[in-house]
Amino acid sequence: MGGTPAETPQASVMVDLIISLDGYASAEGWPGWWGLEGPEYLAWLDQEAERNYTFLLGANTYRLMSGMSDEAAAGGSGFSEEEGASLTGLAAVPKVVFSSTLQEPLTWPNSELVRGDAVEAVRRMKQSGDRPMSTLGSLSLCRSLLAAGLVDRFRLVVFPVITGRTGRERIYDGYPDVALQLVQSRTFDGRLQLLEYVPTVLDGPPGASRT
């Protein structure tokens, strides 16, 4: 009997970001999560940790996050209890680090070093795997994966602050034009807004004439 062969399932890729209302990933002098994390949001983070993502990150984020994770595990770091638990928990999660400057062996547990072009590496990972992947920080990596059309979900948690004077790491600089179809939204603790989209990279504004 004939039939259409079943398609091989592909791993999904999600860009996952926390962001201020004016588009920054962090702000100088502000605490983690801008000091606005609450019990609903923290419970949701715990649930997300059980979804078994493989995290994708670049060298700068690896250096920063691995150092913070080690510091939190050592105790007496000044992190809040919630921040410390989140940071130390990352040691047990599979991580793929894209870098031409880091050297093996990587000291952060469960970290795999991949050299070469990150976009092509993630493209191969999507084709050959079935485990969901999510970015961890790494704004330039997020931008490159989105521009290459490899991102299946674009998820933001918007924090209700404007950090125009102290904001650091502008998220959308250098992005292509992107259409976003909202597929999920939720409010945490009456103040944090989760927005999850299916992104479509555009050649230009919709309806613009092309010659």
Side-chain angles (χ1 to χ4, degrees), residues 47-85:
Q47 294 171 1
E48 284 295 292
E50 297 174 359
R51 295 184 63 178
N52 297 318
Y53 290 110
T54 295
F55 284 110
L56 311 176
L57 58 158
N60 290 337
T61 299
Y62 172 85
R63 294 186 183 99
L64 174 66
M65 297 301 294
S66 62
M68 292 172 66
S69 181
D70 290 344
E71 186 180 354
S77 59
F79 294 116
S80 69
E81 181 179 348
E82 292 83 3
E83 285 178 306

Side-chain angles (χ1 to χ4, degrees), residues 52-201:
N52 297 318
Y53 290 110
T54 295
F55 284 110
L56 311 176
L57 58 158
N60 290 337
T61 299
Y62 172 85
R63 294 186 183 99
L64 174 66
M65 297 301 294
S66 62
M68 292 172 66
S69 181
D70 290 344
E71 186 180 354
S77 59
F79 294 116
S80 69
E81 181 179 348
E82 292 83 3
E83 285 178 306
S86 179
L87 288 167
T88 55
L90 287 172
V93 178
K95 298 169 287 290
V96 177
V97 186
F98 302 99
S99 174
S100 60
T101 58
L102 292 173
Q103 300 297 320
E104 293 180 309
L106 297 179
T107 58
W108 204 10
N110 298 299
S111 297
E112 175 188 355
L113 179 62
V114 174
R115 301 188 184 279
D117 186 81
V119 168
E120 290 308 312
V122 173
R123 195 187 307 277
R124 291 192 297 270
M125 291 167 65
K126 285 194 69 171
Q127 293 170 347
S128 62
D130 58 5
R131 184 186 181 104
M133 293 175 279
S134 175
T135 57
L136 179 63
S138 308
L139 299 184
S140 61
L141 175 64
C142 294
R143 183 173 59 243
S144 297
L145 295 178
L146 183 67
L150 294 177
V151 176
D152 302 287
R153 289 288 189 271
F154 189 82
R155 188 170 74 183
L156 306 171
V157 176
V158 182
F159 285 70
V161 294
I162 293 173
T163 55
R165 183 173 59 187
T166 57
R168 297 292 182 268
E169 301 179 289
R170 288 177 58 87
I171 286 179
Y172 299 129
D173 287 356
Y175 265 49
D177 288 356
V178 183
L180 299 169
Q181 177 189 355
L182 184 67
V183 293
Q184 184 180 178
S185 65
R186 179 177 174 181
T187 301
F188 300 112
D189 304 297
R191 57 180 179 266
L192 311 182
Q193 187 69 46
L194 178 145
L195 301 168
E196 184 171 336
Y197 300 96
V198 174
T200 301
V201 178

